[in-house]
Every structure is written in structure tokens, then in C-alpha cells.
Amino acid sequence: MTTPPILDTAATTTHGAKLSRSLGVGGNVLITLSGISPASSVFILGGAALATYGTGVFWGFALAGVISLLIAYCYAELGSRHPIAGGDYSLVSRVLGPASGAAVFLISLVTLPLIVAIFALGVADYLGVAIAGLDPLWTAIVVIVLATVTACFNIRANAWVTGAFLVVEMAALALLAVLGLVHVERPITDLLDPQALDAATGGLAPLGIAGLVLAITQGIFSYNGYGGAVYFAEETRNARRSIARAVIWSAVITVLAELVPLTAILLGADSLEELFGAALPVETFLSARSGDAITIVVLVAVALAIVNAIIAIALQSGRLLFAAARDRALPEPVARPLATISPATRMPVAATVVMGVLALAACFIPFDVLLNATGSTLAFSYGFIALAALVVRRRSDAAARAGEDLTGTFRMPLYPLAPVAALIAIASIFVIGILDPAQWVSLGIAIGIVVAGFAYYALYLRRNPGTAHLLAAEDDEWEPAK
């Protein structure tokens, strides 16, 4: 028999006001997809990939899709076993322990506001086609303030808002796909031999294995965000079943929503040399196929997609800080106000506002520093998730043998293929990063954040026995960290 979780009455009292369990799978997926923002990924990350890796984008993003689905399986099983708000931090803390959890918490605490700042600073570039003279910094500040305020509304209202924006975003991607597929200029077999633009000759040249692997990493980064469904576990009905479905559906839709239009662009472009040589390949293709008026409408839709992503990430950020405060992974004077829930909206308003303020502050950091600070952290987060997925199955099997009811929990097929394959892919990314001097700053920052997280555990959490009370299940049962 396993020892039942110890009920921490102080913790239970602190968290008497629960989040509103009012989302279905569809509502969760709408918010999660909004945070991923497939349209902005295609225009920004996909465009950069086309310019750098050429037709290698087809294989790169296709293989990245397979890897992303494998990682989604890891998230699905972890989220089903531990359906708790807080995303990667909550999952890793409860499976690998508070030391690893502290490292992942610090990764998310640093990178989420920085990602919001990066997105917000790019809004003016797309709105500028309709509203001339926008200042990027002030536009970013206004967008973050509006997004943070919106993220404080109740969760169903946010699902409707983000869902409406998402419809516009998906329509823009559908238009790209149609424009490419109705004017196919080459067979798909031409994409099977990866070629990129040779700057010296202006023609196409074979893309090497290293370039193809980098295209895969770009695709993985472009698809990132489907694990965000776990942030809303405590607001999703029948969470043990629903979270796994929300994660997998989010991953599948994201891969299709990005891979199909990018493939259509490659098939439908008049000249691959001109496409890959353009400063903005996706916008250039769109303008050539649809004209300036439709291009302006689509670029405004991309700006709205970015705003939508900022709202969704603000929702996730608030739940990250709320979960850590509720777990007492922060000092008590800081944790107490951040662990509160608004009685009116049943949302973690204080935590959401604090993360919004951090995002505002990040807007004043030089843009290249923002990019370097977020570049390699994703690989570390996925590495922790893959390791946790290896461990959680063994724990689930042990719990089932001990008589614990695990009805409804998701079990990934072909275990342990997904986490092992994910770890191999992540290890490859690290090797490439080490061999490429251009990645050293980004990799060094990511390693520094992880080390700081472990140091925070060693110097504070471990020395304070009243900290790190980890929520054990969907209800208010708690157990102290081991």
C-alpha cells in the first residue's frame, strides 16, 4: 500500500478559492493554439527557414512534426497523471522532484516574459502596413497592457476572445495554402532533395546534413507551445482524460497548420531562387499571388495573431507564477498574494499582472539579448519533460499495482519510444549548438538559468522545510516534497 498524501491544512486554506473548471477540450485547444500562433510562426520563423534552408524546410518541418508529436505524447501522459496548473514546472516538480522543478520554473519565469516582449515588439512591423509611423516600443507596451488586462477576465471569456482571433489566423493560413496549391509550379518530388540558395552563384545547391538538422530544430521551435494545454488543467473539465486530448490535438493541428502552407508555397512559387532570396519570402509569395490589397489584410491578420498569442501566453504566465506561489516554492511574503484567486473572475489576477509587468520591463532589453536568452531554453525544457515521461510510467505502474485508481489516465503508445526519441533529438540539438560558435551565447544563457534554478533549490528551498508543498492531485490534497 502507498502512503496517502498528507493533507496540509494551511496550504488548503490558502487555496480555498479554486480556479474555475469551465473549459472543455475545445476551449483548452483554442487558447493553446493561440499561444502557439501558427500564422506568425509561418510568416516569421517559416519565412526565415525558407531563406536559410530552402526546400530543406519540407523535410525539416516534416521531421520536426514527428518529433513534436512524440514530445506531445510525453506531455499528454504527464498531464493526465498530474493535471495541475503550472505547465512544465508542475509536471517536472512532481515527477523528478523540486530541484529539477526549480530549474524548470526559472526557465519559464525568465523566458515567458521575454517571449511576450519579442512578440509585442514585432506587432508594429505588421500593423505598420495599415497604420504608418507606429513606434515598436510604445506599440509593444500598449499591446502588453491590453493583453494582460484581457488575461485577467474569466477563462471562458478568454477562450472566446482567443478563439475569435484564431479563426482569422487560420483563414490567413488557409489562403496561403490555396494560393500555392491552385498554381502548382513543380511536383512534390522536387522537394525531396533538399536544396538551398547558394549566395555565391545565386542558384540552388544541395543542403548538407547539418543544414537539414538545423531546419528540424527551427521546425521544433516553430511548433512549440502545444504543452501549454497543461497550464489550464485545473480549469478543464474531466482533466485526466481531457488534458491528453487537448495536448495531442493542439500538436496535430499546429503541425498541419504550418507544414501545409509552407509546402504549398514551395510548390507554387514561380521561382525558388527568387523566393529564397527575398528578404521576406512568405510575404513576397503572398504579394505575387494575391496583390497588395489582400497582402495588407493578411499582414494585419498576422498582427492580430501575434496579439492573440500574447494574450494566451499571459494566461499561461499567470498560472506558472500562481502554481509556484501555491506550492510555496517562493518566499512566503511573496507567495501569499500571488497564490490568491479573484473571487469575481476566479483567475490568478495578481500573478498575471506581475508577469505582465515583467514582460513590460523586458521590452527595454536589447532585441538581440532577448533572442539569445530564449534561443536554447526550449531544448532544456523538452529534455526535462522527456526524462519525466520516462519516470512517470514506472510510477504509474507501481501505483496501479498498489491499488491506486488510474482510470482515465493517458498512456502513450509504444512506450518508451517517444521520450527516448525526443532525448536523442534534443541531444543532437545540443551537439550542434556546441559545434556552432554562433549558438554559444544562447546555450550559455540557458545553462546559466538551469544552474541558477538548482542553486535556488539548494540554497533556499532545501533549507526551508516549510517550502515546496506540492499539490498531489486535482483536489486539495497536498504532500510535502521529498
Side-chain angles (χ1 to χ4, degrees), residues 66-365:
V66 174
I67 294 170
S68 295
L69 292 176
L70 294 176
I71 296 173
Y73 276 136
C74 297
Y75 272 109
E77 181 152 344
L78 287 165
S80 178
R81 187 72 172 89
H82 297 285
I84 304 166
D88 294 10
Y89 153 73
S90 290
L91 301 179
V92 172
S93 293
R94 284 152 181 82
V95 177
L96 300 183
S100 296
V104 172
F105 167 67
L106 199 58
I107 288 174
S108 300
L109 183 67
V110 171
T111 57
L112 285 177
L114 298 188
I115 291 172
V116 167
I118 291 171
F119 277 17
L121 289 167
V123 170
D125 292 339
Y126 290 91
L127 280 183
V129 300
I131 307 173
L134 288 177
D135 179 78
L137 178 59
W138 282 106
T139 302
I141 290 172
V142 171
V143 166
I144 291 174
V145 169
L146 292 177
T148 302
V149 171
T150 303
C152 292
F153 297 160
N154 72 69
I155 193 65
R156 284 184 62 83
N158 273 282
W160 280 105
V161 170
T162 54
F165 280 126
L166 189 63
V167 169
V168 176
E169 179 175 353
M170 290 301 188
L173 291 175
L175 176 62
L176 276 178
V178 170
L179 291 174
L181 295 176
V182 298
H183 294 288
V184 173
E185 298 291 336
R186 59 194 55 82
I188 196 168
T189 52
D190 285 4
L191 308 184
L192 302 182
D193 181 21
Q195 292 183 309
L197 187 67
D198 187 336
T201 65
L204 298 181
L207 181 70
I209 294 296
L212 183 59
V213 173
L214 288 173
I216 294 172
T217 63
Q218 183 84 318
I220 292 172
F221 186 74
S222 182
Y223 296 143
N224 174 52
Y226 42 84
V230 179
Y231 283 98
F232 309 105
E234 292 178 47
E235 293 155 286
T236 302
R237 295 186 295 271
N238 193 15
R240 289 198 184 277
R241 294 181 184 272
S242 299
I243 288 302
R245 293 165 59 194
V247 170
I248 294 172
W249 272 115
S250 296
V252 170
I253 293 172
T254 297
V255 171
L256 293 177
E258 295 186 27
L259 182 58
V260 171
L262 285 172
T263 302
I265 291 171
L266 288 169
L267 294 175
D270 291 329
S271 167
L272 290 179
E273 289 85 354
E274 292 179 5
L275 177 70
F276 302 153
L280 299 170
V282 179
E283 288 87 336
T284 299
F285 169 82
L286 177 63
S287 180
R289 280 283 183 258
S290 65
D292 292 339
I294 293 179
T295 299
I296 290 173
V297 172
V298 172
L299 293 183
V300 171
V302 173
L304 295 177
I306 296 173
V307 173
N308 197 30
I310 293 170
I311 295 172
I313 296 172
L315 289 166
Q316 296 171 5
S317 300
R319 279 145 188 78
L320 166 73
L321 194 56
F322 163 77
R326 187 178 60 179
D327 284 348
R328 297 186 181 180
L330 299 171
E332 180 64 22
V334 177
R336 186 171 296 277
L338 295 178
T340 59
I341 296 174
S342 166
T345 62
R346 298 181 69 182
M347 299 284 276
V349 172
T352 302
V353 170
V354 168
M355 294 299 282
V357 171
L358 292 178
L360 285 172
C363 289
F364 295 91
I365 298 174

